[in-house]
Structure formats: C-alpha cells, structure tokens
Amino acid sequence: MRRIKLERRGNLRLLDQFARDLNPSQYAAATAPDGYNLILAGPGSGKTRVITYRVAFLLSNGVPADSIMLVTFTRRASREMLARLESLVGPEAGRVWAGTFHHIGNRILRRFAEPLGFASNFTILDSEDQEDLIRLAMDDAGIFGQEQMTPKPGRVQNLISFAFNVNTTISELIKERHSDLTTWSAQLERAAEFYAQRKRAANCMDYDDLLGQWDRLIQEFPEQSQVIAQRFRHILVDEMQDTNTIQARLVETLARNGHNNLTAVGDDAQSIYGFRGANYDNILEFAERNKNARVFTLETNYRSTPEIVAFTNASIAHNETGFKKSLVSARSPGVLPVSVPARDGSEEAEFVCQQVLEWHEQGISLRDMAVLYRNHHDSVLLQAELVARGIPYSIRSGQRFFEQAHIKDVLAYLRVIVNGKDEAAWRRILLLLPGIGPAKSKSIHDLLASSPEPLSAIATAEMMKIIPTKSKGPFAGFVADLRKIQGTDPESHPAAAIHAILQGGYPATVKTRYERPDQRIADIEQMQVLADKYDSLERLIADLLLAGDIYGADTLDSAEPDSNLILSSIHQAKGLEWSRVFVIRLVEEGFPNARALKEEGGEDEERRIFYVAVTRAMDELYLTYPTLLQRGGWGSAVVAKPSRFLTEVDPALVEPAILEADEPF
C-alpha cells in the first residue's frame, strides 16, 4: 500500500512564516532533523526566537504538545517563550511541558513520589523552613549553637545545597573551600543525613530535592524511568552552559533512554555561573557525549552596533577555551565604545551621573540606561551620588546598600557615639554580643539611660555586674572598641571612626554571624571611602539615614519603576539589554576578581563575565575606571591599574576620553 504524506495548509503557512522571520542560520537550527542538536547562540542573535520556532516546527510535524519538554532557567524566560509560541500555534502552546528544571521536576515527582519514600502531596520547604529543619538536624548530630564559632544553620544549608549542585560530598567541599569548618566535617556530614531523614519523615522536599529525587527516580527505578523517558519525544534545554552536572545528566539520560531527541541551546562565552555549580563542560563537550550531534551557530547580532560587536569579539577572542566564533552586527554603524579614566571612585560616580543626566535631557529614558559592575560594593559611591542628585534608580544586585544588616550595624556604632541615649542603636549592637539577649540588652540600656554620660557608664564596675559571666570577655572587648572609636575624633573624621570599627572586634562578628563575610567587609570599606568626603559625623549619619529611606522606599516602591535608571551586577544583567550601558570599576584585582584569578580557569570565566557585560549595550558603551583606589584600609589609596580587559583589546576599537574638572569658584 502506498503511503502519501498530506501536507496541512497550516503547516505550509507556518513554514512560509519561518522563511520570512528567520535568517538562514536560524531557519536551519529551528527546522533541524530529529536527534541531538547543539545551537550556539551568540548575544543578540535571536536565541529565544529560534527555540520558540523550533517547538512550533515540531508541533507542525505532528509531535504532540504534551510530549515536548522545554526547560528554561527562569520563569520569565518560560513565560516569554510560551507567549511567543501561542502567537504562532495558538492554545496548543499551553500543553507543552515548559518551565524551569525545578518546576518540571515538581510535576514529575507528584506522580512518582511513592517509590522514593514520599507521598504525592509532599510539601516544598522555603528557606526559613529549611533552616528550622537543619537546626534540628544539627542538634541530632551533636552540633549545638551555644558556642560562638558553631556554624550557623544558614551556612550549613548553603553547604549542603552547594555540595549537591556540584555533585560532591560535604567533606570534600569543606576540604576545598571551607577549611575553617574542618573540625566540624564529620558532624556536618551526619547533620546532612539527619536533615534528609527529617524531610522524609515530614513528607517534605527542599528546592534541591526537586532535582535530586528526580535524578534518583531516573537512576534507581528503571520502570518509572522508562515511562518518563518514553513520555517525552523531544527535550529542549535553554542556557545549556548554565546547567550543573545533575541537570545535564537528567535530560541526557531521559533522551538516551527514550527517543534520542535533545536540543541544547546556549552560548559557551556566557558561562558565568561556576560559583553556583554550573559545569562549563556541559556545553563544551555536548557533541562528545552525544555522538553524531549536529552543531548550529547563530552569529548575526541584531542587538548591538558594529563597533560594540567588534569590541566584544576582540575581547572574548583572548579566552583559551570555548568555541571559536565571530559575531557580525546587522545594524548600521554607530560610535566606538568609550574608555573613561577617573581620578578616583567619587569622580567616576560624578561622571556617570552627569552623563546619565545629559542623555536624559536629550530624551533618552532612564530605563534605557544601565550601570553594571562586577561586585555589589562597587556601586556604593554611585548610589550616594545618585541620591545627592535626585536621580531615581532601581538596583538588581541585592539589597540596597544602606538597608543591609552589616551596614546598619556600623551605623548603630556611629549613632551611639553621636547620641548615647539612642536606645534602638544600643539594642542593635548589644544583641551582636554572645550571651546578650533582648532582656539583658534592656537591662544594660536602662542603666545607660540613667546616666548623664552613657558612653562613660558603659565601662563602669556597676555595668560589669549585670553582664553574664560568659559574656564579660566579649563585652570588655566591645567597650574597648567604643573607646578606640571615640579616640579617633569621630565628630570631625567619620572615616577614621569606621576604620576603628574595622580594626576592632566587629569583623569577627561578621564572620560568625553573616554569610559572605568577605563581601560584607568590602562593603564597609567602601562605606569608609564614602565617609572620607565628610567632615561631620552627624551629617554623615543624617545622609545615610535619609539615603536608607530613599533606597528602601522611594526607589523600591516607586509608582513608576520603569522610569528608573538600572543598577545591576553583571550576573543579574544576563539576558537583558539597554541602549546605553556603563561598566564601572574596571581595575585589576577588582575586575577581573583577584580571587577568581587564582582558580583554574578563573581568568577565562572573568572574561566571560566581562563579555556578558559589554554585550548588553545596544547603542553606546562606556567603560570606566578610577586611577586611585582606597584598598585595604582607610588612608591607603593606591594607584590602580586599568583592567586587562581594557588594555588587551586593540586600541583602535575604543575611543579614549579625558575628564576635565572645572575649577571651583
């Protein structure tokens, strides 16, 4: 019997639209045959469009929508792709299994939870619930929190999670990255086991379990694994370079056990999440792991001008690893990227604000501009200058600087120096001391409040009588710190006061109390640089408190947030684009990060981070750096070298600029 394939009119219309909407490289990738396909999509090359059209192509060829798995890294990306897909194929788009790895893992585990020892109505723990269970598990393991050096549950939670995501043991992770926890290694291993037991007993899973239990299902239960593998005829993965070992194993195992149809999309040059456990080799060695894989390269950039694209190509070409490619801009010529040296961080901030205001006066919306940086603390001086000039902004690199706990702690130290009767400030810093709780801090403050000179009363024998025995040593150190701060003439030299705080016992408190202590200390050092511009402690405190209000309320809850300038870490900016982009603090040991340079492959990853930053710019790109930098303590300004990412690129690809400051009146 002869079989004749009937071409549906709708399918033909869709293919006609493909030919109109896609360039030849995009068309080839979207309509690739079944099998293993790797699509290398450079910045601005239409990656999202190609993935969407690829799914539409599969649907037009009779693949059932609910047999397609489309894995994205963010819910935003998933929503965007489904919306585009619906515009192409209609309501059928809603039947595609689209979402993040964790979203899809949750859907699968609801059906197959029983073999894993869970009921299908398991609950998912939020971060606070996780900390509570981990605290109990630490007790089970004999780790008690009374000692000052006991690991905090939040840190243990991060340790357990990272060990899972990089597919290693807690002991190995401690050996490689957390040597200060070596003595706790065996107990922390047991705590992780007790944590897992408590989750099973409570029929709960945490975020990582949505991957880990899914992986167990695939690896340890062949019958269920086969059912899942056969269910999905095609698997598509967005941002393959950002997957960790577990995620790549999940989709590749399902494809091999099922229909051998896997499309991976991404850009090795934008692999910047190694610190989260992403495995660069997942995309680099995709074709080696999956034999006969086809490789498609999208090299036409629709985002940036030819000048910006030429600069980005020249930069990433210095990497020793990665696929070789050269993007070509589809846009008309524009202007060269501009390199701007500033005297110091304050002048750098002044320049950015001035340029932002000039562009705004020319009719460019603030929301079409962004300032990007490698480290969150690099934005401190800029935030202060933006507030001083009344420029509204939104920040995407975490909490606003003056709303962070450690900055509030330092501010509390300064407040009690200025106003010894400030109960809220006293309460904040007293509660940082071991063995001092709310009741004891109230007793201490009551005694202080009864004295005409609270800062003198803090050091009396009467005060020491009410301090718990185990807290007397830390309290004495705290009193000594206050005396050192007072001895710096803080009223006239606020920066010296902050320097004294950094030289006292507070950094040790940061290390035991907060996560990412090194970053927090760097934040305080930048606060000290900011304070050096002031000759009055009262004015500094007032400005910081007002800044906190502006950052925490006006900017955060702005009625028109879309009209704000964007400040963002480069990691948070990935996948986004703006007309005008500043990349600031481009100095050696800052960007590239000094610590990263000591790690294997660290320079290449730092250059990929820089590549992500500069490829966010559509029309104009400014690269700024201070030539003097305060580093390692107050009063120790050093000459900063411009980043190698600036000096290694052909000077003909960058326009140099000189800042000429007006003479003061």
Side-chain angles (χ1 to χ4, degrees):
M1 179 181 294
R2 181 183 299 180
R3 295 182 180 275
I4 302 174
K5 185 175 182 180
L6 182 63
E7 292 286 354
R8 302 281 184 190
R9 287 187 62 194
N11 295 356
L12 293 173
R13 284 201 303 270
L14 195 59
L15 289 175
D16 286 341
Q17 185 174 348
F18 277 29
R20 291 193 306 270
D21 294 351
L22 304 176
N23 67 35
S25 297
Q26 292 172 332
Y27 185 91
T31 60
D34 288 359
Y36 292 88
N37 298 299
L38 175 62
I39 303 174
L40 298 173
S45 63
K47 170 178 69 78
T48 301
R49 171 172 289 195
V50 170
I51 299 173
T52 305
Y53 278 62
R54 172 70 177 163
V55 177
F57 173 74
L58 295 174
L59 293 172
S60 72
N61 279 273
V63 179
D66 60 0
S67 72
I68 298 174
M69 180 190 293
L70 172 58
V71 191
T72 65
F73 258 78
T74 65
R75 286 175 291 181
R76 178 179 59 83
S78 176
R79 288 193 299 267
E80 182 181 351
M81 290 181 191
L82 284 178
R84 290 194 186 190
L85 185 60
E86 186 172 4
S87 70
L88 289 172
V89 302
E92 192 176 11
R95 296 176 52 233
V96 173
W97 279 58
T100 64
F101 273 97
H102 298 89
H103 172 78
I104 291 174
N106 178 54
R107 289 186 66 180
I108 289 173
L109 290 172
R110 293 295 172 185
R111 180 176 174 184
F112 296 101
E114 190 174 338
L116 299 165
F118 292 86
S120 62
N121 65 339
F122 63 84
T123 53
I124 300 172
L125 300 168
D126 62 21
S127 58
E128 188 175 340
D129 294 332
Q130 289 178 52
E131 280 200 34
D132 287 343
L133 273 191
I134 286 174
R135 187 176 289 106
L136 294 172
M138 291 171 67
D139 286 343
D140 295 339
I143 305 174
F144 302 102
Q146 283 75 21
E147 297 178 39
Q148 188 173 2
M149 300 306 293
T150 303
K152 298 293 185 287
R155 187 179 184 191
V156 176
Q157 174 186 345
N158 291 334
L159 193 72
I160 293 172
S161 179
F162 192 78
F164 165 76
N165 281 287
V166 297
N167 200 29
T168 190
T169 65
I170 288 176
S171 296
E172 282 299 314
L173 184 60
I174 289 173
K175 183 179 178 181
E176 293 174 9
R177 292 173 175 252
H178 302 277
S179 57
D180 61 310
L181 295 178
T182 301
T183 56
W184 299 95
S185 184
Q187 288 171 291
L188 289 173
E189 286 275 15
R190 289 200 300 274
E193 294 171 4
F194 285 123
Y195 175 53
Q197 291 173 16
R198 283 185 172 274
K199 285 186 293 182
R200 282 194 296 272
N203 194 35
C204 295
M205 293 191 193
D206 63 22
Y207 204 54
D208 290 328
D209 288 325
L210 299 178
L211 298 183
Q213 296 297 339
W214 179 11
D215 187 51
R216 269 191 67 208
L217 192 66
I218 298 301
Q219 305 298 332
E220 300 177 18
F221 300 89
E223 182 179 341
Q224 288 80 3
S225 176
Q226 191 63 25
V227 171
I228 299 168
Q230 290 301 317
R231 167 67 183 268
F232 297 107
R233 287 177 56 178
H234 280 268
I235 301 172
L236 299 92
V237 182
D238 186 24
E239 306 288 13
M240 187 67 178
Q241 76 279 356
D242 294 336
T243 57
N244 60 34
T245 301
I246 305 294
Q247 291 165 329
R249 185 168 69 203
L250 275 168
V251 292
E252 291 184 356
T253 302
L254 283 178
R256 279 195 293 271
N257 291 349
H259 300 272
N260 286 294
N261 292 323
L262 174 61
T263 298
V265 187
D267 182 6
D268 60 295
Q270 296 187 68
S271 177
I272 63 172
Y273 289 112
F275 71 97
R276 287 186 186 170
N279 188 342
Y280 184 51
D281 290 340
N282 287 350
I283 191 168
L284 208 62
E285 299 175 0
F286 180 87
E288 296 177 28
R289 295 193 308 276
N290 303 290
K291 302 302 180 184
N292 301 316
R294 305 174 195 86
V295 180
F296 301 87
T297 305
L298 309 182
E299 294 187 316
T300 301
N301 182 300
Y302 295 93
R303 174 187 298 156
S304 307
T305 62
E307 292 78 6
I308 293 173
V309 169
F311 178 85
T312 61
N313 283 339
S315 175
I316 201 64
H318 285 83
N319 265 14
E320 296 181 359
T321 58
F323 297 104
K324 299 302 179 184
K325 51 185 172 294
S326 183
L327 270 66
V328 177
S329 175
R331 294 188 53 196
S332 300
V335 296
L336 288 171
V338 182
S339 172
V340 186
R343 182 186 66 249
D344 53 25
S346 296
E347 187 173 87
E348 181 183 41
E350 291 172 9
F351 163 71
V352 171
C353 290
Q354 175 181 300
Q355 189 62 56
V356 164
L357 290 173
E358 285 183 11
W359 281 333
H360 192 48
E361 289 173 1
Q362 295 167 12
I364 299 171
S365 172
L366 291 176
R367 68 169 177 252
D368 292 327
M369 310 177 208
V371 184
L372 308 181
Y373 35 83
R374 175 65 179 85
N375 308 294
H376 183 52
H377 58 258
D378 291 337
S379 70
V380 175
L381 298 181
L382 178 60
Q383 289 187 53
E385 189 68 21
L386 288 167
V387 170
R389 296 192 185 219
I391 301 174
Y393 70 92
S394 298
I395 191 161
R396 297 182 178 176
S397 54
Q399 245 183 329
R400 283 157 180 75
F401 182 74
F402 300 109
E403 291 298 309
Q404 298 177 102
H406 54 294
I407 300 303
K408 288 184 175 181
D409 292 345
V410 173
L411 192 53
Y413 273 97
L414 301 179
R415 284 166 58 182
V416 300
I417 295 295
V418 169
N419 175 16
K421 296 184 180 297
D422 189 333
E423 181 176 2
W426 276 116
R427 176 180 171 81
R428 184 173 190 93
I429 53 179
L430 288 169
L431 289 175
L432 296 174
L433 300 174
I436 305 293
K440 186 58 66 176
S441 70
K442 184 179 185 304
S443 299
I444 295 171
H445 181 264
D446 287 346
L447 185 56
L448 293 174
S450 66
S451 169
E453 295 291 337
L455 283 170
S456 299
I458 193 76
T460 61
E462 184 181 4
M463 176 65 70
M464 290 303 290
K465 289 178 182 178
I466 66 172
I467 303 301
T469 302
K470 66 178 179 180
S471 301
K472 289 186 184 296
F475 189 83
F478 166 67
V479 171
D481 287 347
L482 288 177
R483 285 176 171 167
K484 288 176 185 174
I485 297 169
Q486 283 182 288
T488 63
D489 187 15
E491 289 294 341
S492 302
H493 301 96
I498 297 176
H499 181 65
I501 294 171
L502 284 169
Q503 296 299 307
Y506 182 68
T509 300
V510 172
K511 291 178 181 178
T512 57
R513 191 178 187 88
Y514 299 124
E515 298 170 17
R516 302 181 301 279
D518 292 342
Q519 293 181 30
R520 294 175 189 267
I521 297 299
D523 284 346
I524 299 168
E525 289 173 348
Q526 286 301 303
M527 184 182 181
Q528 176 182 289
V529 174
L530 175 62
D532 203 25
K533 299 169 63 176
Y534 288 79
D535 56 8
S536 164
L537 182 56
E538 285 188 0
R539 190 162 64 86
L540 171 67
I541 292 172
D543 282 0
L544 296 187
L545 290 173
L546 288 172
D549 288 340
I550 291 171
Y551 297 174
D554 293 355
T555 301
L556 182 63
D557 301 320
S558 171
E560 295 180 342
D562 287 345
S563 66
N564 292 352
L565 173 72
I566 300 300
L567 271 60
S568 177
S569 70
I570 297 165
H571 287 88
Q572 291 292 329
K574 188 171 177 289
L576 304 175
E577 62 186 22
W578 294 272
S579 172
R580 268 70 168 170
V581 170
F582 299 89
V583 184
I584 65 172
R585 288 296 174 96
L586 281 164
V587 295
E588 282 292 297
E589 297 187 17
F591 193 7
N593 181 276
R595 181 177 297 177
L597 292 178
K598 298 176 183 177
E599 300 174 357
E600 184 179 356
E603 181 176 336
D604 275 13
E605 173 136 342
E606 288 292 296
R607 191 175 285 105
R608 292 195 296 268
I609 296 171
F610 179 68
Y611 181 74
V612 167
V614 294
T615 55
R616 301 308 95 199
M618 301 167 65
D619 302 307
E620 295 195 35
L621 173 64
Y622 278 75
L623 308 163
T624 73
Y625 61 95
T627 54
L628 283 177
L629 206 59
Q630 286 196 342
R631 191 180 273 156
W634 177 61
S636 59
V638 297
V639 176
K641 294 182 180 179
S643 169
R644 67 191 68 186
F645 302 148
L646 286 176
T647 58
E648 68 190 6
V649 175
D650 184 348
L653 299 176
V654 187
E655 180 183 357
I658 298 175
L659 294 183
E660 297 178 346
D662 289 337
E663 291 296 325
F665 290 109

